[in-house]
Amino acid sequence: EVQLVESGGGLVQAGGSLRLSCAASGFTFDNYAIGWFRQAPGKEREGVSCFSTSDNSTYYANSVKGRFTISSDNAKNTWYLQMNSLKPEDTAVYYCAAIPTGPYYFASYCNYGMDYWGKGTLVTVSS
């Protein structure tokens, strides 16, 4: 059974940084995509960043480009979202997600759906 557990959320002032972690268990796919999504109060969930192991491509939403970085530690089955220069509009519940893929899967495809989801971690950015 695949399980994803996020951590690292919290309260931070605008301009500050946070690093979110997603620990994966039961994940044994040859190719897969991992991603971070967020949902702010009253808004739809949006894709923030994704990474595809099939071609090592990455995707970032325009709103976070240059500020957020996705990475992974394969030995720990953990992936991360480093968030810098945080803004109040980044306030949301952040979810990690994953999907097994074939050999040709661009990271941006993660916006079309993921199979496995964590329960989320709240990030609050104060002004």
Side-chain angles (χ1 to χ4, degrees):
E1 179 185 5
V2 174
Q3 289 190 329
L4 306 177
V5 180
E6 304 95 336
S7 61
L11 174 64
V12 63
Q13 287 189 333
S17 298
L18 280 176
R19 189 178 79 159
L20 304 183
S21 299
C22 179
S25 60
F27 209 72
T28 59
F29 307 109
D30 290 338
N31 288 306
Y32 55 90
I34 59 175
W36 289 95
F37 296 75
R38 68 185 180 186
Q39 187 165 20
K43 294 187 177 181
E44 294 186 354
R45 186 174 61 199
E46 65 169 335
V48 175
S49 180
C50 297
F51 173 76
S52 173
T53 65
S54 66
D55 66 349
N56 290 322
S57 59
T58 56
Y59 160 83
Y60 293 97
N62 287 333
S63 58
V64 306
K65 280 181 181 177
R67 300 188 298 122
F68 290 12
T69 303
I70 191 170
S71 64
S72 66
D73 184 334
N74 294 331
K76 296 182 178 179
N77 281 340
T78 300
W79 55 89
Y80 306 96
L81 184 68
Q82 178 66 42
M83 306 186 296
N84 299 329
S85 303
L86 283 162
K87 304 175 181 180
E89 50 263 44
D90 294 319
T91 295
V93 177
Y94 284 72
Y95 301 88
C96 65
I99 185 170
T101 71
Y104 304 104
Y105 186 96
F106 297 121
S108 59
Y109 292 174
C110 68
N111 287 304
Y112 296 114
M114 305 292 272
D115 283 353
Y116 304 101
W117 292 85
K119 293 184 178 181
T121 185
L122 177 63
V123 172
T124 304
V125 184
S126 62
S127 57

